Amino acid sequence: MKQKPDLSFWKLWNLSFGFFGVQIAYALQSANISSIFRTLGADPHSLSFFWILPPLMGMIVQPIVGTLSDKTWTRFGRRIPYLFVGAFAAVAVMCLLPNSGSFGMSVSMALIFGLFALMLLDTSINMAMQPFKMMVGDMVNEKQKGKAYSIQSFLCNAGSVAGFIFPFLFTWLGVKNVAEKGVVPDSVIWSFYVGAAILLLCVLYTTMKVKEWPPKEYAEYNPQPETKEGKANWLTLLRNAPQAFWRVSLVQFFCWAAFLYMWSYVVDAVSLTVWDTDVPESEAYQTARNWTGVLYAIQAMGSVAWAVVIARFSDMKKAYSLSLMLGALGFALVPFCHNQYLQILPFLLIGCAWAAMLACPFTLVTNALQGYGHMGAYLGLFNCAICLPQIVAAACGGFVFKLVGSTQTSMMFVACTLLVIGSACVFAIKNKQS
């Protein structure tokens, strides 16, 4: 097998640039879904249930995209066609979702329409997102993978910053930030429109700049999928997966469950802690929603800075564990910061955990998968370690919410506990697997 060549910085950059646009869409969803459904009339006790769809669609779509793209060869590439189709579908749905309350439907019908739009959005985002991870696995050598995923992490966080601050920015520019009961404010609607346009431009750039290897050249660098394991099914691949695949998945379980509870409840937690309200129709609640978007952006910027620190650690496991502990501390501090500017500190700490969750798992797993073949299928299956914990956490969210006193701020302590457990599990990972 030939050694994959070193790639220039800009070639590594182009491989992941479209991720910037995809992440804007993901950030808009993450920061606004809870407030959108609260505006449409959802009860806080059932709020986490609306978060089952995003990871569920990811768990279904990404393994399928990974497996199919392993077998796809076109003149446009093997991964890029899926990226292109997914992105265009996401653009269309992003124009529909924030308008769920604007069509004169009843509360129940608006919630159902919103759920259907959310399902389509998550399907398309996952279809667009997975190819970027697989192209790094396909075309980047082991020595440069850490750098490649760091670039991807930077673009991911830069896209997040843009998506998170859009509602705050549009409000500052004079776009209306409040609306009648059951209707999403214009500041959010226009954020989705602009995010859709940027996503389209970024994906077009990637499809023009990235040239995937043709089958013959790909086989010279990655022969295993065609020879070693043949047509192995998903169960066979999971049975033969290296131990690192499963142990990193265990860490991922606790991490993503923690962040699911943050996404579900943090808008209300910040609104209650700082503005002492959780009434969606109030101007204070919408201000809290905008400020939470700014806090998410600060989290993303902190994540970019911390990713540089992680790269300086000689032991990735120590960096991973420390980062998760810092994030746990951040979650614990949220209910104690009664000034909106003091909330910056916990979100900077949460950004440390987010940086590690984006960079460390895929580096550890793709290195462990060298020689196993079926990289796309394996990474699609590994995405289940991101999706399944969110599904479990969302399904249990109502029960956990009642267990901690039906208080949104208490869910931040639940997230803290989950990250502490995840941090401890990091040391079960072995860096090298046979």
Side-chain angles (χ1 to χ4, degrees), residues 195-208:
I198 295 173
L199 169 59
L200 181 61
L201 292 174
C202 289
V203 168
L204 287 174
Y205 176 89
T206 295
T207 56
M208 288 187 294

Side-chain angles (χ1 to χ4, degrees), residues 342-362:
L342 287 178
Q343 288 285 346
I344 291 173
L345 174 59
F347 277 82
L348 284 173
L349 294 172
I350 293 168
C352 296
W354 186 244
M357 287 166 59
L358 291 176
C360 298
F362 283 100

Side-chain angles (χ1 to χ4, degrees), residues 43-50 52 260-261 264-265 391-407 411:
D43 183 86
H45 288 83
S46 61
L47 194 58
S48 68
F49 296 142
F50 294 99
I52 291 178
L260 185 281
Y261 286 141
S264 299
Y265 295 102
I391 294 171
V392 173
C396 298
F399 171 76
V400 175
F401 186 60
K402 290 181 181 178
L403 195 65
V404 296
S406 297
T407 305
M411 295 301 289

Side-chain angles (χ1 to χ4, degrees), residues 28 49 51 62 83 88 96-97 155 159 165 195 222 294 297 300 303 345 431:
L28 284 167
F49 296 142
W51 284 90
Q62 294 206 25
L83 161 64
F88 268 80
L96 286 175
L97 177 58
L155 289 167
I165 67 172
N222 303 276
V294 174
S303 182
L345 174 59
N431 292 328

